[in-house]
Amino acid sequence: MKIKMNPADKFRRPARVLKTVGHPDRLAIVEMLEHGEMSVNEIAEVLGTKQSITSQHLNMMRDKGVLYARREGIKVFYGIENKNVIRLLHCIHQSCDTSLQDQN
Amino acid sequence: MKIKMNPADKFRRPARVLKTVGHPDRLAIVEMLEHGEMSVNEIAEVLGTKQSITSQHLNMMRDKGVLYARREGIKVFYGIENKNVIRLLHCIHQSCDTSLQDQN
DNA sequence: AAGATATATAGTAATATTACTATATAGTGG
DNA sequence: CCACTATATAGTAATATTACTATATATCTT
């Protein structure tokens, strides 16, 4: 049994994470949650997006292992499960102000 | 004139870059190019993907400002235009071995 | 110009994302 | 149980991605 390994194979999961946070709203959510949990409505309000969309983003990121969810009574609080995404965020901020955005 | 700014606005471009490299083949390409330029065929061969697909990935990353292309005779060499993606890659590798892949 | 090599692109089908509305579900308090 | 608040989900339409085949374009060599 010889299993063919492509160079891309080891990037399957990192790529999935990058794709997961590769959305303006979702990146903003990660930043908001960096310093603590927030409820769905809080997040939606800050983002200025509809509740249902926010919920979808949050659920999606939880599915991918980026966030976790914790119910507290009537509310659900989300937090960062995969701490590496914070590292990612810092990496983005660190790259100057215009960082990953611009060239060089 | 008051322009409404959402928290997500400042993440438009970083998110686009993350999405751009959020594909196993494209991440692998970035890694391959970290230490120097390569031609399309070289890249395709190492990746084990078809030439046309590789070309599409390369073109796409060039469009998004991640890579640059340089023609040399009959060949086209690609290299990394946005050096911040290298930082990203290191960030991924640095996060343990199982890094961004796993939780925590 | 013809042939060979390297790269790009057109066309396409399957699938995924995105953003939306409306509705359903879960928990709390009366 | 009912009303209320908070969250999740179903259904949907527009658009984007992906991977593929076939073909076009560009460059060099003879």
Side-chain angles (χ1 to χ4, degrees):
Chain A
M1 80 178 232
K2 67 185 311 206
I3 297 175
K4 175 153 55 162
M5 276 284 280
N6 291 325
D9 284 338
K10 66 170 174 174
F11 288 117
R12 287 256 154 76
R13 292 199 286 180
R16 189 165 21 191
V17 175
L18 292 180
K19 196 176 176 185
T20 299
V21 297
H23 184 291
D25 284 341
R26 295 198 291 266
L27 257 190
I29 289 172
V30 169
E31 188 185 51
M32 292 169 56
L33 298 181
E34 181 179 353
H35 298 301
E37 300 174 341
M38 288 175 73
S39 74
V40 179
N41 269 349
E42 284 179 303
I43 296 170
E45 197 168 334
V46 175
L47 281 184
T49 65
K50 315 219 167 194
Q51 177 270 326
S52 66
I53 298 182
T54 304
S55 180
Q56 282 173 13
H57 283 316
L58 293 169
N59 269 285
M60 189 256 221
M61 286 195 279
R62 190 190 39 177
D63 279 352
K64 303 294 174 55
V66 172
L67 304 182
Y68 67 82
R70 181 178 63 80
R71 174 145 234 151
E72 193 172 309
I74 203 176
K75 294 185 175 180
V76 175
F77 290 90
Y78 280 84
I80 293 181
E81 171 83 37
N82 183 340
K83 302 297 184 193
N84 292 312
V85 299
I86 295 180
R87 217 179 296 221
L88 258 190
L89 201 69
H90 289 169
C91 178
I92 290 172
H93 284 140
Q94 176 192 18
S95 302
C96 312
D97 299 44
T98 49
S99 73
L100 283 167
Q101 310 157 9
D102 304 328
Q103 277 72 8
N104 253 22
Chain B
M1 78 178 233
K2 68 184 311 203
I3 297 174
K4 175 153 55 162
M5 278 285 281
N6 291 324
D9 284 338
K10 67 171 173 172
F11 287 117
R12 288 256 153 77
R13 292 199 287 179
R16 189 166 18 188
V17 175
L18 292 179
K19 195 176 178 186
T20 299
V21 296
H23 183 291
D25 284 340
R26 294 197 291 264
L27 258 191
I29 288 173
V30 169
E31 188 185 51
M32 291 170 56
L33 298 182
E34 181 179 353
H35 299 301
E37 301 175 340
M38 286 175 74
S39 73
V40 180
N41 269 350
E42 283 179 304
I43 296 170
E45 197 169 334
V46 175
L47 282 183
T49 65
K50 314 219 170 196
Q51 176 269 327
S52 66
I53 298 182
T54 305
S55 180
Q56 281 172 14
H57 284 316
L58 292 169
N59 269 284
M60 189 256 223
M61 286 195 277
R62 191 190 40 176
D63 279 351
K64 303 293 174 56
V66 172
L67 303 182
Y68 67 81
R70 180 178 64 79
R71 174 146 234 150
E72 194 173 310
I74 202 174
K75 294 185 174 179
V76 175
F77 290 89
Y78 281 83
I80 293 180
E81 171 83 37
N82 183 339
K83 302 297 184 194
N84 292 311
V85 299
I86 294 180
R87 220 179 293 220
L88 257 191
L89 199 70
H90 289 168
C91 177
I92 290 171
H93 284 140
Q94 175 191 20
S95 302
C96 313
D97 298 46
T98 49
S99 73
L100 284 167
Q101 310 158 10
D102 304 329
Q103 278 70 10
N104 253 22

